[in-house]
């Protein structure tokens, strides 16, 4: 497949993909089956204790599996053991808490979010989503002490408190209950530090007529605005030093060359049906041949195109296989200006990116603060999901952002004064 590079005013490159030849986009998650899960006796909740960490893309990703394939269910074994060791869930029976039940719960939450909280849901027309959508990175991390553990524990707590016989993300009668459940999950993730909301400092170059609108968007989607640039200079510290001003996580500035150009603003004003996925970056590439040599197995996938692209269908001997398998590399890609829930797997032959080169990019400044264009704010109102900061980073921000130009000027003046004082002292001596 031919890929052409598309240049912009930014120094960063984007890859243009010929969508007419690309594999079909992944469909929304399938509705989970309605097999009941019995509720256990209620118990008093205890505070969630989890290390403060920002969810990131796991180093090892496996191409899309059938939701309840044996390999996919096996990835929940560690979480199942961790949840069983928690005092509140220690008495749960194996028919209620098991790896398959956890996989089913995750699939149900993702399905419910996609139907009711995504940018293509019915509520997207008037942008009146009741809550913000959980980022997809939460569901990808299967570590026993990670964000998905907190999510699952929160869900089972709510189930016990409400005396539900089962989780049901399909029935319209459970719509309100499920919104309350997701609200509780978000609160627990925020409390645990796995979910963070932006604390924004608006640069002076942002047009004054936009500040009020952007502030309203931030407030609506859980962010905060501060008028003092007060970064956390020690990001390795779990809890920032005490201060009356919250620590800035994002500097939002007007980037007329790229993120806030006239062309970008015109594209943002198009109806949602015209959203186009044009540019991508490769996050990782999974080569099943290498895995087969080292581990002796082939990874399952639900992409039917594999047979046409050199893969083979079915299991050993091609007899009575329930899932297709493949024998060629797959690439996990992120679409530029789209949230992480739109990330997907496709054949690596259809993309031409080096994931190592792409992912070495660090968009945070020396104060460990993201410096992004105003489109970062506009897009959360479009998708009901916070975007991925590297998509919005302002290149050469020290030359474009008023805040950093003033800081550089002040440092230059202070350095000149220091040198002058040093020279005067030397002359006296």
């Amino acid at each position: 497949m031919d890929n052409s590079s598309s240049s912009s005013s930014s120094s960063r490159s984007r890859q243009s993909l010929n969508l007419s030849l690309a594999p079909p986009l992944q469909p929304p998650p399938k509705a989970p089956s309605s097999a009941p899960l019995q509720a256990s006796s209620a118990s008093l909740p205890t505070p969630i204790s989890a290390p403060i960490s920002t969810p990131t893309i796991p180093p090892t990703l496996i191409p899309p599996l059938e939701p309840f394939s044996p390999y996919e269910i096996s990835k929940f074994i560690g979480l199942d053991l961790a949840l069983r060791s928690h005092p509140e869930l220690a008495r749960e029976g194996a028919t209620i808490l098991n790896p398959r039940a956890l996989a089913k719960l995750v699939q149900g939450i993702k399905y419910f979010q996609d139907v009711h909280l995504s940018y293509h849901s019915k509520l997207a027309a008037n942008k009146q989503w009741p809550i913000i959508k959980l980022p997809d990175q939460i569901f990808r991390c299967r570590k026993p002490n990670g964000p998905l553990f907190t999510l699952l524990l929160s869900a089972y707590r709510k189930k016990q408190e409400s005396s539900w016989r089962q989780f049901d993300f399909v029935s319209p009668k459970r719509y309100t209950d499920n919104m309350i459940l997701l609200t509780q999950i978000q609160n627990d993730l925020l409390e645990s530090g796995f979910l963070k909301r932006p604390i924004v400092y608006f640069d002076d170059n942002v047009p004054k007529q936009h500040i009020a609108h952007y502030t309203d968007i931030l407030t609506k989607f859980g962010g905060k605005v501060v008028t003092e640039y007060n970064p956390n200079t020690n990001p390795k510290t779990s809890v920032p030093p005490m201060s009356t001003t919250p620590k800035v996580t994002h500097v939002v500035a007007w980037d007329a060359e790229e993120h806030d150009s006239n062309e970008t603003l015109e594209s943002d004003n198009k109806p949602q049906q015209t959203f186009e996925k044009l540019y991508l970056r490769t996050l990782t590439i999974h080569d099943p041949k290498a895995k087969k040599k080292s581990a002796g197995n082939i990874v399952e996938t639900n992409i039917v195109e594999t047979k046409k692209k050199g893969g083979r269908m079915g299991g050993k001997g091609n007899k009575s296989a329930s899932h297709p398998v493949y024998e060629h590399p797959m690439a996990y890609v992120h679409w530029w200006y789209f949230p992480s829930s739109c990330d997907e797997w496709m054949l690596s032959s259809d993309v031409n990116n080096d994931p190592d080169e792409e992912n070495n990019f660090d968009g945070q400044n020396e104060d460990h603060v993201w410096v992004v264009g105003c489109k970062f704010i506009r897009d959360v109102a479009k998708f009901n999901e916070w975007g991925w900061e590297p998509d919005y980073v302002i290149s050469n921000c020290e030359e474009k952002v008023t805040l950093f130009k003033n800081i550089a000027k002040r440092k230059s003046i202070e350095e000149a004064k220091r040198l002058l004082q040093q020279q005067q002292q030397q002359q006296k001596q």
Side-chain angles (χ1 to χ4, degrees):
M1 169 178 169
D2 295 333
N3 292 311
S4 60
S5 297
S6 176
S7 61
S8 68
S9 56
S10 170
S11 61
R12 290 169 289 139
S13 63
R14 298 174 176 176
Q15 181 182 1
S16 178
L17 181 67
N18 187 338
L19 296 178
S20 62
L21 298 179
L25 300 181
Q26 292 299 307
K30 297 178 182 178
S33 61
S34 57
L37 291 174
Q38 297 178 356
S40 68
S41 59
S43 58
L44 294 176
T46 56
I48 292 179
S49 176
I52 294 179
S53 171
T54 302
T56 56
I57 298 171
T60 303
L61 283 171
I62 302 300
L65 306 174
E66 292 293 334
F68 307 117
S69 67
Y71 187 90
E72 174 70 359
I73 292 175
S74 70
K75 289 299 181 180
F76 287 89
I77 293 177
L79 282 165
D80 177 52
L81 294 175
L83 288 166
R84 286 183 175 281
S85 65
H86 195 279
E88 295 181 43
L89 305 182
R91 296 184 179 180
E92 293 284 6
T95 58
I96 299 173
L97 179 57
N98 57 71
R100 182 179 178 84
L102 297 179
K104 177 184 174 183
L105 174 56
V106 168
Q107 183 72 7
I109 293 175
K110 294 180 71 173
Y111 168 80
F112 185 83
Q113 285 201 132
D114 192 73
V115 171
H116 300 288
L117 300 176
S118 66
Y119 70 96
H120 50 73
S121 66
K122 294 181 179 179
L123 298 175
N126 54 11
K127 299 183 179 180
Q128 294 299 319
W129 299 283
I131 57 175
I132 190 171
K133 190 177 181 183
L134 289 170
D136 205 61
Q137 289 94 329
I138 297 289
F139 302 101
R140 298 175 192 168
C141 181
R142 306 294 170 83
K143 296 179 180 179
N145 61 346
L148 189 55
F149 170 85
T150 301
L151 180 150
L152 293 169
L153 177 58
S154 181
Y156 272 90
R157 278 178 172 168
K158 186 61 180 176
K159 181 171 174 287
Q160 290 179 351
E161 294 170 2
S162 304
S163 299
W164 296 336
R165 294 184 57 193
Q166 61 180 343
F167 292 106
D168 185 349
F169 297 99
V170 179
S171 172
K173 296 180 180 180
R174 294 288 293 273
Y175 172 84
T176 302
D177 288 339
N178 289 328
M179 285 297 178
I180 295 173
L181 169 63
L182 289 180
T183 301
Q184 183 61 52
I185 288 173
Q186 290 199 20
N187 291 338
D188 289 339
L189 287 169
L190 287 166
E191 179 184 341
S192 301
F194 287 118
L195 194 60
K196 300 178 185 293
R197 300 302 189 207
I199 301 174
V200 170
Y201 173 88
F202 281 114
D203 188 63
D204 290 341
N205 75 346
V206 179
K208 301 299 182 184
Q209 64 269 25
H210 295 311
I211 294 292
H213 177 53
Y214 292 158
T215 300
D216 289 343
I217 293 175
L218 271 168
T219 304
K220 179 179 179 181
F221 290 92
K224 295 180 180 179
V225 177
V226 295
T227 57
E228 177 185 347
Y229 181 65
N230 185 25
N232 181 14
T233 55
N234 186 14
K236 294 183 180 180
T237 303
S238 299
V239 180
M242 294 298 293
S243 172
T244 56
T245 304
K247 300 299 179 180
V248 172
T249 61
H250 296 69
V251 171
V252 174
W254 190 263
D255 184 13
E257 294 183 8
E258 183 183 9
H259 305 300
D260 306 303
S261 65
N262 291 333
E263 181 182 357
T264 302
L265 292 172
E266 182 180 345
S267 176
D268 287 347
N269 291 329
K270 290 181 179 179
Q272 78 172 56
Q273 291 81 1
T274 61
F275 291 172
E276 294 180 301
K277 296 178 178 178
L278 297 177
Y279 305 102
L280 60 83
R281 73 167 75 219
T282 304
L283 301 178
T284 187
I285 292 180
H286 184 85
D287 188 350
K289 290 185 178 179
K291 187 163 183 71
K292 184 178 180 181
K293 292 178 182 178
S294 61
N297 60 354
I298 302 175
V299 182
E300 306 163 87
T301 179
N302 57 12
I303 296 180
V304 183
E305 291 288 319
T306 70
K307 192 173 182 180
K308 300 178 182 178
K309 296 287 185 176
R312 63 184 182 85
M313 305 295 290
K316 187 175 181 180
N318 243 13
K319 295 180 180 179
S320 64
S322 58
H323 306 293
V325 295
Y326 66 90
E327 292 183 337
H328 57 269
M330 299 289 291
Y332 195 62
V333 302
H334 169 77
W335 294 97
W336 209 291
Y337 290 151
F338 279 78
S340 61
S341 60
C342 296
D343 297 352
E344 62 178 319
W345 288 94
M346 55 177 38
L347 298 166
S348 64
S349 59
D350 289 341
V351 298
N352 190 28
N353 285 57
D354 181 355
D356 294 331
E357 178 182 347
E358 285 284 350
N359 293 322
N360 282 336
F361 173 70
D362 183 4
Q364 292 180 305
N365 68 359
E366 61 183 9
D367 293 330
H368 306 281
V369 171
W370 290 102
V371 184
V372 296
C374 293
K375 183 174 173 61
F376 177 71
I377 305 296
R378 296 193 299 271
D379 277 1
V380 68
K382 180 193 299 183
F383 293 109
N384 190 38
E385 184 177 353
W386 285 103
W388 196 38
E389 284 90 346
D391 292 352
Y392 304 90
V393 164
I394 299 177
S395 58
N396 302 321
C397 64
E398 63 279 355
E399 300 175 5
K400 299 179 182 178
V401 180
T402 303
L403 170 68
F404 300 117
K405 289 193 291 186
N406 291 340
I407 291 176
K409 186 184 297 184
R410 185 170 62 250
K411 287 182 178 179
S412 178
I413 294 174
E414 291 174 353
E415 178 66 15
K417 288 181 178 179
R418 188 188 65 82
L419 292 175
L420 180 61
Q421 290 175 354
Q422 190 176 27
Q423 290 175 0
Q424 290 175 346
Q425 290 176 356
Q426 291 175 352
Q427 289 175 357
K428 290 179 180 180
Q429 294 175 356

